[in-house]
């Protein structure tokens, strides 16, 4: 097995060739491309395979990556996988063929990456995971993972629900509808897991997830699935949505059913995008667990270190906060995404 040091040193070896090849193939038409000129010295080419554009969070994340790559003077090859793993695999293969210096990607789902990552390793191109993790039996297939702790976000959502219920003076059974993220994606698996952990440990008798289904992290998905939830379980009194976009879609269905979001159905979600804060300031969402999408600047620093053959931290966690309605109005003007 190649040690990380050797792997990175070898990666530096292909940097010059990769940079030239990338310049010669600047029109990356199948995946879309951005380029930026470096401030002298050897220009780094980064291949970034994005999940898609499913949510406000993702839009902010893409913007952050593109702006930070530009500021760093890297050539960025960017692709949008439209939430399909096969598209991301093709994009990564194309980055390998183009001999980029570093590959970064935010995996749509957790499994099924070993084969393509082995190809990157054989080509001596280091891989950084951003935002979402993977399951692999070979940890040498990526050098670092930068992003949030989704299990902790699930725990924080449950703790936030405790406060929301108390504030609402809620008495009696807590009947929870859960809108899950994309099936098989790290944030969907882990946000459910963290929430359940607290629920099972501290609220076994009074809380129950009565219905749970994926809304694929989209507004349309949240709207559609919530409408079905309300049909099958009209007595739901809490919604836990794995992201703001699904909560926002669900609000439309709750209102269409003649109920008041934030009152008849208490809502806790994850992300903290501007539209989520607007809904919270209007009293329609009761609490939001923040998940920071602005990973670009940290990622570019990491890319530089990896490209220079420096040892990097295996896991870099992002810092984030929790917000209840009383903080929403105050925080809204300064929200960056
Ligand atoms: O992986 C992060 C999650 O993906 C965000 O919470 C969600 O909005 C996005 O689509």
């Amino acid at each position: 097995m190649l040690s990380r040091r050797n792997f990175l040193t070898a990666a530096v070896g292909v940097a010059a060739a990769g940079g030239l090849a990338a310049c010669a193939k600047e029109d990356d038409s199948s995946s879309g491309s951005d380029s930026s000129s470096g401030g002298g010295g050897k220009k780094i080419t980064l291949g970034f395979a994005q999940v898609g554009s499913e949510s406000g969070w993702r839009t902010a994340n893409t913007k952050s990556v593109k702006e930070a790559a530009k500021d760093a003077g890297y050539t960025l090859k960017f692709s949008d996988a439209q939430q399909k793993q096969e598209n991301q695999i093709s994009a990564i293969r194309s980055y390998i063929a183009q001999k980029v210096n570093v590959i970064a990607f935010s995996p749509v789902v957790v499994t099924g990456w070993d084969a393509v990552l082995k190809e990157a390793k054989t080509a001596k191109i280091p891989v950084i995971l951003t935002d979402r993790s993977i399951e692999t039996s070979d940890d040498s297939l990526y050098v670092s993972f930068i992003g949030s702790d989704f299990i902790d976000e699930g725990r924080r959502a449950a703790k936030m629900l405790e406060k929301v219920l108390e504030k609402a003076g809620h008495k009696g059974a807590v009947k929870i509808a859960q809108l899950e993220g994309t099936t098989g994606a790290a944030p969907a698996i882990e946000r459910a897991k963290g929430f359940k952990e607290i629920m099972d440990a501290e609220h076994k008798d009074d809380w129950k997830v009565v219905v749970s289904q994926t809304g694929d992290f989209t507004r349309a998905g949240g709207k559609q699935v919530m409408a079905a939830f309300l049909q099958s379980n009209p007595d739901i009194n809490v919604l836990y949505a794995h992201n703001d976009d699904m909560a926002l879609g669900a609000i439309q269905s709750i209102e269409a059913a003649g109920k008041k979001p934030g009152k008849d159905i208490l809502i806790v979600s994850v992300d903290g995008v501007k539209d989520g804060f607007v809904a919270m300031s209007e009293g329609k969402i009761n609490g939001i667990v923040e998940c920071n999408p602005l990973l670009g600047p940290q990622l570019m620093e990491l890319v530089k270190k990896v490209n220079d053959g420096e040892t990097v931290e295996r896991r870099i966690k992002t810092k984030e906060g929790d917000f209840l309605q009383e903080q929403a109005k105050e925080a809204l003007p300064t929200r960056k995404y």
Side-chain angles (χ1 to χ4, degrees):
M1 193 177 77
L2 206 58
S3 73
R4 186 182 322 166
R5 182 85 217 164
N6 288 342
F7 181 85
L8 297 178
T9 308
V12 176
V14 297
L20 287 174
C23 286
K25 286 181 164 197
E26 205 56 89
D27 62 319
D28 185 12
S29 52
S30 62
S31 57
S33 73
D34 277 349
S35 68
S36 56
S37 49
K42 204 160 46 188
K43 198 160 143 181
I44 295 172
T45 297
L46 168 68
F48 188 92
Q50 181 60 290
V51 170
S53 42
E54 72 281 6
S55 62
W57 189 100
R58 191 63 56 196
T59 305
N61 180 248
T62 292
K63 189 165 175 270
S64 172
V65 168
K66 287 186 173 177
E67 285 176 0
K70 194 169 179 208
D71 291 348
Y74 302 166
T75 297
L76 176 67
K77 297 197 166 283
F78 182 90
S79 62
D80 173 338
Q82 297 175 333
Q83 291 184 279
K84 292 197 173 68
Q85 182 175 34
E86 61 268 30
N87 292 347
Q88 265 190 324
I89 291 175
S90 304
I92 294 170
R93 289 216 165 102
S94 127
Y95 298 151
I96 296 169
Q98 292 174 63
K99 297 183 168 48
V100 301
N101 301 117
V102 179
I103 292 172
F105 80 114
S106 179
V108 178
V109 290
V110 288
T111 55
W113 300 103
D114 281 18
V116 72
L117 295 187
K118 274 181 191 146
E119 291 168 33
K121 185 174 169 177
T122 304
K124 300 186 175 22
I125 301 175
V127 172
I128 297 170
L129 303 181
T130 76
D131 164 36
R132 298 180 179 183
S133 60
I134 59 168
E135 277 171 25
T136 175
S137 52
D138 181 356
D139 281 345
S140 75
L141 294 179
Y142 66 91
V143 294
S144 185
F145 165 38
I146 175 171
S148 305
D149 181 337
F150 295 137
I151 297 186
D152 196 51
E153 287 176 353
R155 290 186 194 119
R156 283 161 49 208
K159 296 310 274 179
M160 177 168 278
L161 179 58
E162 289 173 356
K163 288 189 194 138
V164 165
L165 289 164
E166 193 188 329
K167 205 170 149 236
H170 182 89
K171 299 268 176 287
V174 177
K175 297 184 179 176
I176 305 166
Q178 178 171 237
L179 276 170
E180 303 162 24
T182 302
T183 305
I189 298 167
E190 295 173 6
R191 285 173 188 164
K193 189 175 171 186
F195 188 88
K196 187 172 183 310
E197 187 186 298
I198 300 293
M199 190 174 79
D200 289 351
E202 297 171 28
H203 303 284
K204 221 176 170 48
D205 299 330
D206 49 337
W207 292 16
K208 190 162 187 233
V209 175
V210 292
V211 66
S212 183
Q213 203 181 304
T214 181
D216 211 13
F217 280 132
T218 65
R219 226 172 259 215
K223 183 179 176 187
Q224 195 189 326
V225 176
M226 190 69 199
F229 283 173
L230 289 164
Q231 288 278 328
S232 62
N233 296 72
D235 54 348
I236 293 161
N237 47 28
V238 166
L239 169 66
Y240 168 38
H242 289 185
N243 81 345
D244 290 345
D245 279 83
M246 291 190 295
L248 292 163
I251 285 170
Q252 294 177 38
S253 292
I254 294 168
E255 287 175 335
K259 294 185 188 244
K260 283 202 170 67
K263 292 213 162 48
D264 299 329
I265 299 186
L266 302 170
I267 303 179
V268 169
S269 68
V270 185
D271 273 358
V273 296
K274 239 187 192 131
D275 287 354
F277 266 77
V278 170
M280 197 155 59
S281 67
E282 290 169 353
K284 295 181 178 181
I285 293 182
N286 303 79
I288 294 180
V289 169
E290 186 182 40
C291 177
N292 186 359
L294 307 179
L295 303 178
Q298 262 179 304
L299 172 63
M300 298 314 148
E301 275 175 36
L302 195 59
V303 166
K304 167 112 182 37
K305 285 186 185 161
V306 166
N307 190 62
D308 288 349
E310 282 180 38
T311 305
V312 295
E313 279 176 79
R314 179 85 186 150
R315 175 75 172 100
I316 301 168
K317 285 188 190 169
T318 37
K319 290 203 178 81
E320 25 221 26
D322 296 332
F323 297 89
L324 289 161
Q325 283 176 346
E326 48 270 33
Q327 287 120 23
K329 277 205 179 94
E330 202 185 315
L332 194 50
T334 55
R335 288 310 286 172
K336 292 199 178 69
Y337 52 91

